[in-house]
């Protein structure tokens, strides 16, 4: 097994001349290449998915994940490990079944969207109205869907950078709200995913203030295909739907924080984030067990090499999936602190292929150094601006610099928010390449003399 592991990482093990720093113990090339043999991240994601499992925000399972995280981070040697709790509304899944009752009776595989309303125990039966895309739903006249079930189709495509999610995700983000305003009794959408498996993709949806939520669910892609074929036969299609989720008035989530103390308090804090919560269908290995594992493994490697100039703060955020409550709570608690840089890993576990920046102009040499350090890992410099992720977005809006290490998202939306999000989908060699890239970036940025962000 050891020989197989070494062969898997060998293609990445390319040396690079050291970039000079006051603390040679943080030689980025040396730390990067050592991290290609990393097993720390695998240990974290294995433990989290095995010992805790699914971690729906605000539930007892997420609370267990926080306790597990504190014990793990303390055992790894981090300082100032703590939980910072905050209140939030809690949505919990109930029974979810559906079937076509005419003209071609058969079951449908679906899952409720977060914030979906309930049909009640009796369920509901209605004719579906087909919309080939969200734009067609938007164009429907007000009141035209009264007593009907809207069915929104689309054709999401694979992209390496995940850019299609912003376009097709709108069917989930805002489709139910639009359908509710037009009088629909419920809405079905094609899952926001690129797979062809009978696994539906869940995810949160939002209803505007004053708009009464309606039952909302995502069909697996094969079931959506089948429903489209039925519609094309030209006969009215009637569906029976039962969803019984509940929205609790209040609950508790929390962020887990750990630190690598820096030697220069005036140099600012680098926040490295991922989210601890997950949806409840799979075990949250890819989204975002891998992310929290990557950032913590890289931070530990810097810690073990000796104190960096800047403090590195590991943020395992809670309640990201249902509204990014953790990021807002972090800003409320720490917004007045000096944040030099923020980074997030929340796009799976496949290899990093690009680095993007949003740094001060004075940091141009730093960007060159970072690109040079990552080149041997097969990572190129992007031409666009870094944007960060949901858990660090509030910090970025306050002026923190951001670096994006872009992962290959080609297969990410096969797994995203599905029962298939499990540990066997994580490739250990690609996970280690992530840790190597993050380690190199932290070795450079945590010790760089250049001013970053709002320092």
């Amino acid at each position: 097994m050891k020989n197989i592991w070494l062969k898997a990482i060998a293609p990445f093990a390319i040396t690079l001349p050291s970039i000079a720093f006051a603390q040679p113990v943080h030689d980025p090339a040396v730390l990067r290449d050592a991290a290609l043999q990393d097993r720390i991240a695998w240990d974290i994601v294995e433990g989290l998915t095995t010992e805790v499992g699914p971690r729906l925000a605000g539930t007892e399972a997420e609370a267990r994940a926080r306790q597990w995280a504190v014990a793990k981070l303390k055992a790894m040697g981090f300082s100032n490990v703590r939980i910072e709790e905050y209140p939030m509304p809690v949505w919990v899944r109930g029974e979810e079944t559906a079937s076509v009752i005419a003209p071609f009776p058969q079951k449908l595989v679906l899952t409720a969207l977060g914030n979906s309303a309930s049909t009640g125990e009796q369920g509901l039966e209605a004719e579906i109205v087909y919309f080939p895309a969200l734009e067609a739903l938007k164009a429907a006249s007000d009141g035209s869907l009264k007593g009907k079930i809207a069915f929104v189709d689309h054709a999401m495509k694979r992209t390496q950078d995940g850019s299609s999610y912003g376009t097709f995700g709108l069917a989930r983000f805002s489709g139910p709200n639009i359908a509710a305003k037009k009088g629909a009794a419920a809405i079905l959408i094609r899952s926001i995913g690129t797979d062809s498996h009978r696994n539906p993709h869940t995810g949160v949806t939002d209803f505007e203030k004053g708009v009464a939520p309606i039952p909302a669910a995502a069909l697996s892609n094969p079931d959506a295909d089948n429903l489209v074929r039925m519609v094309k036969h030209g006969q009215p299609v009637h569906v029976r739907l039962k969803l019984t989720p509940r929205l609790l008035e209040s609950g508790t989530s929390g962020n887990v924080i750990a630190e690598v103390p820096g030697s220069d308090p005036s140099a600012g804090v680098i926040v490295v984030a991922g989210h601890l919560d997950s949806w409840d269908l799979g075990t949250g290995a890819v989204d975002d067990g891998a992310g929290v594992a990557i950032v913590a493994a890289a931070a530990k490697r810097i810690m073990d090499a000796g104190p960096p100039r800047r403090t590195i703060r590991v943020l395992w955020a809670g309640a990201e999936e249902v509204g990014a409550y953790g990021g807002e709570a972090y800003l409320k608690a720490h917004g007045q602190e000096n944040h030099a840089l923020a980074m997030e890993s929340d796009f799976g576990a496949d290899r990093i292929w690009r680095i993007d920046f949003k740094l001060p102009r004075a940091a141009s040499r730093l960007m060159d150094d970072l690109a040079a350090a990552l080149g041997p890992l097969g990572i190129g410099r992007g031409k666009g601006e870094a944007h960060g992720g949901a858990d660090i977005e509030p910090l970025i809006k306050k002026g923190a610099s951001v670096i994006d290490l872009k992962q290959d998202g080609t297969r990410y939306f096969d797994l995203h928010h599905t029962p298939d999000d499990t540990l066997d989908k994580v490739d250990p060699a690609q996970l280690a390449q992530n840790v190597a890239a993050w380690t190199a970036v932290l070795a450079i940025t945590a010790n760089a003399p250049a001013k970053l962000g709002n320092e």
Side-chain angles (χ1 to χ4, degrees):
M1 179 63 74
K2 182 177 180 181
N3 288 337
I4 293 174
W5 174 255
L6 290 174
K7 288 178 181 178
I9 65 172
F12 297 118
I14 304 172
T15 60
L16 180 75
S18 301
I19 298 172
F21 287 98
Q23 302 180 55
V25 73
H26 285 130
D27 184 308
V30 172
L31 292 173
R32 178 203 64 208
D33 289 349
L36 284 168
Q37 301 183 49
D38 180 76
R39 295 292 293 186
I40 301 169
W42 178 267
D43 178 66
I44 293 171
V45 69
E46 186 278 330
L48 182 60
T49 56
T50 303
E51 299 170 35
V52 181
R55 307 170 295 281
L56 188 62
T59 65
E60 178 273 338
E62 193 197 27
R64 280 191 289 111
R66 289 193 293 276
Q67 295 300 325
W68 182 93
V70 166
K72 173 62 71 173
L73 291 166
K74 285 183 176 179
M76 291 171 68
F78 286 102
S79 300
N80 305 322
V81 180
R82 73 267 193 191
I83 297 171
E84 296 181 351
E85 293 186 342
Y86 44 85
M88 57 163 287
V90 179
W91 179 91
V92 293
R93 192 177 303 282
E95 186 178 352
E96 40 194 36
T97 61
S99 59
V100 176
I101 54 177
F104 310 116
Q106 53 191 283
K107 291 182 179 180
L108 297 170
V109 176
L110 49 55
T111 190
L113 301 179
N115 290 332
S116 168
S118 174
T119 62
E121 289 294 332
Q122 74 282 0
L124 65 86
E125 293 182 7
E127 181 181 349
I128 67 166
V129 179
Y130 174 67
F131 298 97
L134 183 64
E135 291 303 316
L137 174 64
K138 290 179 180 178
S141 58
D142 292 344
S144 63
L145 297 181
K146 186 174 182 179
K148 304 291 180 66
I149 298 175
F151 168 39
V152 179
D153 195 17
H154 59 79
M156 186 176 181
K157 303 298 183 183
R158 298 177 191 275
T159 55
Q160 188 177 28
D161 64 358
S163 55
S164 63
Y165 185 53
T167 300
F168 296 102
L170 291 172
R172 192 192 82 219
F173 306 147
S174 59
N177 181 72
I178 295 168
K181 291 169 69 174
K182 295 182 182 294
I187 182 172
L188 302 176
I189 68 167
R190 177 186 289 272
S191 280
I192 311 303
T194 51
D195 64 306
S196 59
H197 296 284
R198 216 169 180 195
N199 283 324
H201 297 238
T202 190
V204 74
T205 190
D206 292 311
F207 293 94
E208 296 173 17
K209 186 176 182 180
V211 175
I214 60 174
L219 291 161
S220 78
N221 282 322
D223 285 271
D225 290 338
N226 198 20
L227 201 55
V228 170
R229 289 192 294 269
M230 292 183 189
V231 168
K232 289 181 176 179
H233 274 258
Q235 303 176 58
V237 178
H238 291 260
V239 168
R240 177 171 177 77
L241 176 66
K242 182 177 182 181
L243 304 174
T244 61
R246 292 178 296 135
L247 184 62
L248 309 181
E249 289 188 4
S250 63
T252 301
S253 185
N255 296 330
V256 179
I257 291 175
E259 292 177 342
V260 180
S263 61
D264 182 358
S266 68
V269 175
I270 294 176
V271 173
V272 293
H275 65 85
L276 190 59
D277 65 308
S278 76
W279 284 104
D280 52 329
L281 302 184
T283 59
V286 170
D287 184 19
D288 187 32
V292 298
I294 290 162
V295 301
K300 177 172 172 54
R301 287 183 170 275
I302 302 301
M303 175 177 64
D304 290 348
R309 176 176 173 239
R310 292 183 173 90
T311 292
I312 299 171
R313 181 175 293 160
V314 176
L315 168 61
W316 286 3
E320 186 273 347
E321 294 289 10
V322 297
Y325 290 95
E328 292 293 342
Y330 178 85
L331 181 68
K332 184 176 180 180
H334 300 279
Q336 299 307 310
E337 297 177 27
N338 179 9
H339 289 94
L341 177 68
M343 299 175 62
E344 183 163 359
S345 181
D346 184 17
F347 198 48
D350 285 354
R351 66 181 301 276
I352 295 167
W353 63 284
R354 193 179 85 198
I355 183 169
D356 293 333
F357 304 101
K358 185 180 180 181
L359 297 173
R361 288 185 179 179
S364 59
R365 171 60 189 276
L366 174 65
M367 290 185 273
D368 291 341
D369 289 345
L370 288 165
L374 296 180
L377 297 177
I379 299 170
R381 182 172 181 171
K383 296 181 180 179
E385 187 175 83
H387 298 286
D391 297 309
I392 60 173
E393 182 179 0
L395 278 179
I396 297 167
K397 289 180 177 178
K398 289 280 287 186
S401 291
V402 60
I403 294 174
D404 287 342
L405 290 173
K406 307 290 285 188
Q407 293 159 293
D408 188 336
T410 305
R411 69 180 187 127
Y412 182 70
F413 291 103
D414 288 359
L415 308 170
H416 186 242
H417 297 179
T418 73
D420 244 2
D421 183 0
T422 50
L423 184 64
D424 57 298
K425 310 309 184 303
V426 177
D427 181 283
Q430 295 194 66
L431 187 68
Q433 188 257 10
N434 275 258
V435 177
W438 275 79
T439 300
V441 169
L442 288 181
I444 294 171
T445 57
N447 294 295
K451 183 178 178 180
L452 303 175
N454 56 11
E455 291 178 286

